[in-house]
Amino acid sequence: MTASERVRAARGALTMVQAEPFNAEAPPEALTTDITPTELHYVRSNFALPEHDGLLHVGGTVANPLTLTLDDLRALPAVTRAVTLECAGNGRLGQTPLPEGEPWGRYAVSTARWTGARLCEVLDRAGCSADGVDVRFQGADHGPYHQHEDLRFVRSLDLVHAADPSAEILIAYDMNGEPLDADHGAPFRLIVPHWYGVASVKWLERIDVITTDYAGEFQVGHYMYEWPDRPHEPVTAMRVRARITDPAPGAELPAGTCTIRGKAWSGTGPVTKVELSFTGAGDWHPARLDIRQEPYAWQDWSFEWTVSRPGRYSLRARATDAAGNVQSEVPPWNRLGYGNNAVEVQHVDIR
Amino acid sequence: MTASERVRAARGALTMVQAEPFNAEAPPEALTTDITPTELHYVRSNFALPEHDGLLHVGGTVANPLTLTLDDLRALPAVTRAVTLECAGNGRLGQTPLPEGEPWGRYAVSTARWTGARLCEVLDRAGCSADGVDVRFQGADHGPYHQHEDLRFVRSLDLVHAADPSAEILIAYDMNGEPLDADHGAPFRLIVPHWYGVASVKWLERIDVITTDYAGEFQVGHYMYEWPDRPHEPVTAMRVRARITDPAPGAELPAGTCTIRGKAWSGTGPVTKVELSFTGAGDWHPARLDIRQEPYAWQDWSFEWTVSRPGRYSLRARATDAAGNVQSEVPPWNRLGYGNNAVEVQHVDIR
């Protein structure tokens, strides 16, 4: 197969949202496993697939500017982490009025096992100056974007965050044990645990430590919560969210006992509680949370549901995290439609 | 077949929402025809199927109390009208927070051809007194209901409305050319054009002209818009609404030109405009409205859509009626979840 045939084949199992640049959701069944197979992992791209020269430049206000190859990165201590990534626009179709932007349904979320070098270690080798404030990450991808004729994808993180060993930010080169493919940022990309996917810059080609807060289009233009009634805020950590994965929406089930299963995740603290409701009457019942195996990945929960009366039930799952964040029932509307973690409603029919 | 076997057979094609009392939505394909076949017409019941003794009593403050049989009603001049009925709770599942009440999706709406006697003619024969204010309609159905041990289904209309020949309110005994079946109110029921279905009392057994405003549970308790921020209002006429019927939600279509089709209806004036949008960017394009054949029935509209770029499109249809009412994009939330006529979003994938 040629490279472009490989790309097309890899995309076949996804639910396409946009053909070019390619954006696609995971199929619903991708949420039933702990690790999402690579070919089922959602894909978010702002621009066409870029060329990448295989080099990672580390510069800015550093003592030792570096130019690293894939082999250089592989020579550093490798870390593997299961990380749930979610697009900040996931659930945009559920917001009213419908915001601008890619019409994501509910499946722009996946969990892969990423292997790479620690960002903190690379920054340490480069030797950040004391006046460093922000770290800017530049992808190789670029193109027309709204008012910009040719914009490059660039995001930043606070230096204290980027250089924090406990944040475990990776420069990842393997995904689920294989080298990254083109759609997921080959040859290497950032993986920022707990944050919406926008922070995990794909096709990474430059890292620059800078002495001011970065204020590019993807930092302060897009990927901002433009709330109607309070100050705008940057899109950062994933908002707490639960998803029912079984039964499927609209399923028909016999009366009796069935196990309701799902996932829950949050970028602002471990999920500490998932509650289930079966009607609109405000009944909330605690689900059983599985012990979490991976600190950056979604976790399983389940609930034994006994129901005898036939009819339609409106199932909802609501998660709370350790920071006390809880899903609201009303989508948190903002102009560009980010961070919709509202409680989802799905009905099932008991026969 | 026994009577109960007939009832069960008639229900098989519907999407059940509640088994007992029986509530069920039309299947989506029922919205693609002008007239909904009886077996595909949605069913709303507050109580178990009642016994009915075949008599209609007309009394209260009238000069000539009447007791009418089905034959008496059939002996009066017959009127046949296609009437769109919609449950006031239609679309409740789309409101956030999820309100109490039957979890209706989007298909508690149908259009049948109803034949019956004019209510105004029956009231005229009974001779309403000058001090009449309200007309109370009592169904044979009753049972436990919230705090009530045994409540009967009773609704009222203003006398001026009930007695208005131009309102064309029917005491209907035929549905789509056949005698009413049990689920649709046999042997006769009220049909109130333009109003949400709650007004069209099934299994009608008593009509009383009264000298005060009726204030029963189904008039001032339930079927009230309990708005969070303004005075409560009774549920009356159907709110303006458009529905895309073709393509189906989630359909995959080839690039090119396709005809988008749908229905629109309103109880507050003829639909004068339907507009289509294909993205969240605020693009609205006028659809072609078919000439309306029936004053109380939904009407067809269509739009020739040419699209070349593959990807997901978020289709929306928005109707406006002659009174200037237009669908909002945000569901009009109220505690009991009535009248959700928000613009619906459905996506299609262009390949």
Side-chain angles (χ1 to χ4, degrees):
Chain A
M1 279 202 288
T2 66
S4 67
E5 283 170 345
R6 270 197 305 276
V7 167
R8 273 198 299 277
R11 293 173 172 178
L14 299 174
T15 307
M16 188 177 67
V17 170
Q18 191 171 293
E20 188 54 51
F22 185 67
N23 286 284
E25 297 189 13
E29 63 270 23
L31 271 77
T32 59
T33 53
D34 288 340
I35 298 296
T36 313
T38 300
E39 66 273 18
L40 303 185
H41 195 291
Y42 86 92
V43 175
R44 168 76 178 115
S45 320
N46 285 281
F47 302 110
L49 282 181
E51 300 290 318
H52 193 290
D53 65 6
L55 299 178
L56 174 60
H57 303 278
V58 184
T61 178
V62 296
N64 313 304
L66 307 171
T67 297
L68 303 171
T69 64
L70 179 56
D71 286 343
D72 294 334
L73 289 169
R74 287 190 183 274
L76 294 172
V79 173
T80 297
R81 293 283 179 264
V83 179
T84 295
L85 291 181
E86 181 179 18
C87 180
N90 194 28
R92 181 175 284 131
L93 276 178
Q95 292 197 337
T96 56
L98 183 64
E100 292 185 48
E102 286 68 28
W104 295 107
R106 308 190 307 151
Y107 292 97
V109 58
S110 304
T111 300
R113 207 177 289 283
W114 302 94
T115 303
R118 290 170 192 260
L119 174 64
C120 62
E121 182 144 354
V122 171
L123 290 174
D124 191 49
R125 289 183 183 226
C128 300
S129 308
D131 59 351
V133 167
D134 236 14
V135 184
R136 200 172 58 193
F137 303 92
Q138 176 177 312
D141 51 326
H142 64 96
Y145 190 85
H146 296 268
Q147 75 276 26
H148 304 277
E149 275 187 31
D150 187 19
L151 186 67
R152 196 162 282 272
F153 190 78
V154 181
R155 283 278 304 184
S156 74
L157 294 172
D158 285 343
L159 175 56
V160 290
H161 181 200
D164 180 0
S166 73
E168 298 210 285
I169 299 169
L170 303 184
I171 302 172
Y173 41 75
D174 283 355
M175 178 183 184
N176 293 334
E178 301 281 340
L180 296 195
D181 70 14
D183 274 330
H184 293 292
F188 28 73
R189 68 176 296 177
L190 215 56
I191 290 291
V192 183
H194 289 151
W195 280 46
Y196 280 114
V198 64
S200 293
V201 177
K202 299 198 286 189
W203 310 293
L204 188 63
E205 63 174 19
R206 282 204 66 86
I207 299 176
D208 289 291
V209 181
I210 60 177
T211 57
T212 56
D213 284 324
Y214 176 66
E217 176 63 40
F218 293 100
Q219 199 76 23
V220 300
H222 278 72
Y223 295 98
M224 289 292 291
Y225 292 117
E226 297 188 17
W227 305 116
D229 53 358
R230 51 197 164 101
H232 298 178
E233 293 175 274
V235 167
T236 58
M238 295 185 296
R239 296 160 65 97
V240 61
R241 190 160 180 166
R243 165 73 50 80
I244 296 170
T245 57
D246 187 27
E252 294 187 10
L253 303 171
T257 297
C258 86
T259 304
I260 301 175
R261 297 177 199 282
K263 302 287 192 207
W265 62 94
S266 172
T268 54
V271 173
T272 52
K273 187 164 61 175
V274 171
E275 297 160 290
L276 276 283
S277 169
F278 307 100
T279 73
D283 55 319
W284 289 99
H285 309 276
R288 192 177 69 84
L289 275 178
D290 284 10
I291 302 294
R292 198 160 66 136
Q293 305 296 330
E294 296 273 0
Y296 310 126
W298 53 31
Q299 65 194 106
D300 289 317
W301 55 263
S302 60
F303 185 89
E304 295 296 307
W305 184 40
T306 301
V307 56
S308 56
R309 193 171 179 220
R312 175 178 291 182
Y313 290 81
S314 36
L315 269 51
R316 291 177 290 171
R318 178 174 74 180
T320 301
D321 71 19
N325 297 300
V326 55
Q327 291 180 262
S328 81
E329 295 193 51
V330 178
W333 193 89
N334 53 90
R335 189 178 69 88
L336 297 171
Y338 296 122
N340 178 6
N341 69 330
V343 171
E344 300 169 355
V345 183
Q346 66 183 62
H347 66 81
V348 298
D349 291 308
I350 302 297
R351 295 288 157 175
Chain B
M1 279 201 288
T2 67
S4 66
E5 284 170 346
R6 271 199 303 276
V7 166
R8 275 199 298 276
R11 293 173 171 179
L14 298 174
T15 306
M16 188 177 67
V17 169
Q18 190 171 292
E20 187 54 50
F22 185 67
N23 287 285
E25 299 189 11
E29 62 270 24
L31 271 78
T32 59
T33 54
D34 288 339
I35 298 296
T36 313
T38 300
E39 66 273 18
L40 303 185
H41 195 292
Y42 85 93
V43 175
R44 168 76 179 116
S45 320
N46 285 281
F47 302 110
L49 282 181
E51 299 292 317
H52 193 289
D53 66 5
L55 299 178
L56 174 60
H57 303 279
V58 184
T61 179
V62 296
N64 314 302
L66 307 172
T67 297
L68 303 170
T69 65
L70 179 56
D71 286 344
D72 294 334
L73 289 169
R74 287 190 183 274
L76 294 173
V79 173
T80 296
R81 293 283 179 267
V83 179
T84 295
L85 290 181
E86 181 178 19
C87 180
N90 194 29
R92 181 175 284 130
L93 276 177
Q95 292 197 337
T96 55
L98 183 64
E100 292 185 47
E102 286 66 29
W104 294 107
R106 308 190 308 151
Y107 292 97
V109 57
S110 303
T111 301
R113 206 177 289 282
W114 302 93
T115 303
R118 289 170 194 262
L119 173 64
C120 62
E121 183 144 351
V122 171
L123 291 174
D124 190 49
R125 289 180 182 226
C128 300
S129 307
D131 58 352
V133 167
D134 236 15
V135 184
R136 201 172 57 193
F137 303 92
Q138 177 177 310
D141 50 327
H142 64 96
Y145 190 85
H146 296 266
Q147 75 275 27
H148 304 277
E149 276 186 29
D150 187 19
L151 186 68
R152 195 163 282 273
F153 191 78
V154 182
R155 284 278 304 185
S156 74
L157 294 171
D158 286 342
L159 176 56
V160 290
H161 180 200
D164 180 0
S166 73
E168 298 208 287
I169 299 169
L170 303 183
I171 302 171
Y173 41 74
D174 283 355
M175 178 184 184
N176 293 334
E178 300 282 342
L180 295 195
D181 69 16
D183 275 329
H184 294 291
F188 28 72
R189 67 176 295 176
L190 215 57
I191 290 290
V192 183
H194 291 319
W195 279 46
Y196 280 113
V198 64
S200 294
V201 177
K202 299 198 287 189
W203 310 293
L204 188 63
E205 64 174 18
R206 282 205 66 85
I207 300 176
D208 288 291
V209 181
I210 59 176
T211 58
T212 56
D213 285 324
Y214 175 66
E217 175 63 42
F218 293 101
Q219 199 76 24
V220 300
H222 277 72
Y223 295 99
M224 290 290 292
Y225 293 117
E226 297 189 15
W227 304 116
D229 53 355
R230 53 199 164 100
H232 298 178
E233 295 174 275
V235 167
T236 58
M238 295 185 296
R239 296 161 65 99
V240 62
R241 190 161 178 164
R243 166 72 51 81
I244 296 169
T245 57
D246 188 28
E252 295 187 8
L253 303 172
T257 297
C258 86
T259 304
I260 301 174
R261 296 177 200 282
K263 301 288 192 207
W265 62 94
S266 173
T268 54
V271 173
T272 52
K273 186 164 63 177
V274 172
E275 298 160 288
L276 275 284
S277 169
F278 307 100
T279 74
D283 55 320
W284 289 99
H285 309 276
R288 193 177 69 84
L289 275 177
D290 284 11
I291 302 295
R292 198 160 67 135
Q293 305 296 329
E294 297 274 359
Y296 310 126
W298 53 31
Q299 64 195 103
D300 290 317
W301 55 262
S302 60
F303 184 90
E304 296 296 308
W305 183 39
T306 301
V307 56
S308 56
R309 193 170 178 219
R312 174 178 291 182
Y313 290 81
S314 37
L315 269 51
R316 292 177 290 171
R318 178 174 72 181
T320 302
D321 71 18
N325 297 300
V326 55
Q327 292 180 260
S328 81
E329 294 191 53
V330 178
W333 193 88
N334 54 92
R335 190 179 69 88
L336 297 170
Y338 296 123
N340 178 6
N341 69 329
V343 171
E344 299 168 357
V345 182
Q346 66 183 62
H347 66 79
V348 298
D349 290 308
I350 302 298
R351 295 288 157 175

